Amino acid sequence: MESQSNDGEDGVKHSAIVASHYNKIEELGLAARKKSNIYFMRNFNNWIKSCVIEKYAALVKGRTPLGSPFRVLDMCCGKGGDLIKWSNSNVTHLICTDIAQVSLEQCESRFNKMYHQRKPKVEYFAADATLQQLRTKYHDPSLKLHLVSCQFAFHYSFESFKQADCMMKNAAECLDEGFYFIGTIPDANELMKRQRRAMSDTFGNDIYRIQFLCDTDNPPLFGAKYNFQLDEVVDCPEFLVHFPTLEKLALKHGLRLVEKKRFDEVFDEHRSRKQGLLETMQALETYPPSPYGRGNADDQSKKPEQYKHAEEYGRQMSTQHQFRVGTLSEQEWEAATLYLFFAFQKMKTSYDSNGRPVYS
């Protein structure tokens, strides 16, 4: 199917809008973040990323001899929100790239403050992964990677087939056989389900708002545009990712789907084993609030009805003691469950008589 947008000029234009948006977001610090209405949701999303990155880093190590290099591409790395995760995974060579130059500079600054010894080898460069070949910018273009991560960004490429194909090629072409491409994107099925439930092309709550700018009765495979607004963090155009099309595109570049889960399913998979990390990262809000203020953000103006589910849980508990539970407000949970996680594995590669790759 044809994309609604021009593969050339429109792609550059939207890329510039996205880059400008993220370049303008200031690094406000923890005190300011705690006042945000999505403080706990952001921590929750970060916990999700921690769980899946740890899982796939462990799979990488299980496939390589002890002491082997561990090379990672953090595609669309932003300000470096996953640097600690890469540190915890003992990555030895990290490539950080993003479309937003200012974000990349903040990433480099954060890295330099984090590491004092045992620094991994690291590369930084600004590039549009939907329009440019990344490997030509590596210090060593023949480098083989063990893990490629693209968090909350791959959907921008679905503006056109050309851009999505370019980004998938960037994810796949340097991956060594048997290793992984992981990422998080909005769940197009969930977005369309909510649009139909709302019977409007604009829907959301006090935290997030989506306005569809395409034909929602028959959205195209590429260029299905909507505007996404999330509190004060995101306000820019995005594109639906038709997941069967994503799978076909991945197969074209030798990647086979191994896992696809909504964030609520990822939470169910990891919450028991990662209970301590949930608490350490403040990925859930304590309800009712602790009288000592621990585990809650300051100055948040959330309404009691946002915690009806927690109250109901408390009523079901067979105890006379005051209950206390970790939760998200209903509005934060609605926003968090817009997303899904995916993982692809690079297949074995051979070449036909014309030199074209054949994957198996």
Side-chain angles (χ1 to χ4, degrees), residues 286 288-294 296 322 324:
T286 302
S290 165
Y292 305 105
R294 291 186 62 194
N296 284 70
Q322 170 74 53
R324 187 157 280 122

Side-chain angles (χ1 to χ4, degrees), residues 180-245:
Y180 304 97
F181 167 44
I182 62 174
T184 46
I185 54 173
D187 181 349
N189 286 340
E190 183 65 24
L191 288 171
M192 296 306 301
K193 186 165 69 177
R194 295 188 192 190
Q195 182 270 333
R196 292 192 167 93
R197 190 188 304 145
M199 293 187 291
S200 170
D201 286 347
T202 302
F203 59 94
N205 58 35
D206 292 343
I207 285 173
Y208 83 95
R209 187 145 302 272
I210 286 169
Q211 180 185 12
F212 272 101
L213 304 170
C214 66
D215 180 359
T216 51
D217 291 326
N218 186 29
L221 295 182
F222 300 96
K225 185 178 177 182
Y226 60 93
N227 199 73
F228 181 53
Q229 187 175 359
L230 178 64
D231 203 52
E232 298 172 357
V233 179
V234 180
D235 187 3
C236 59
E238 300 188 353
F239 300 90
L240 290 178
V241 175
H242 182 249
F243 206 88
T245 300

Side-chain angles (χ1 to χ4, degrees), residues 53-109:
I53 284 173
E54 181 189 276
K55 176 179 178 177
Y56 280 87
L59 287 172
V60 167
K61 289 171 186 174
R63 297 181 66 87
T64 54
L66 187 65
S68 295
F70 183 9
R71 295 181 289 267
V72 170
L73 167 62
D74 192 341
M75 188 162 62
C76 311
C77 65
K79 295 180 173 71
D82 294 334
L83 286 174
I84 291 175
K85 302 174 188 67
W86 302 132
S87 172
N88 291 341
S89 300
N90 295 315
V91 168
T92 59
H93 188 161
L94 178 63
I95 301 173
C96 295
T97 180
D98 196 86
I99 193 173
Q101 179 66 45
V102 174
S103 294
L104 201 62
E105 289 166 3
Q106 291 171 328
C107 174
E108 185 170 2
S109 174

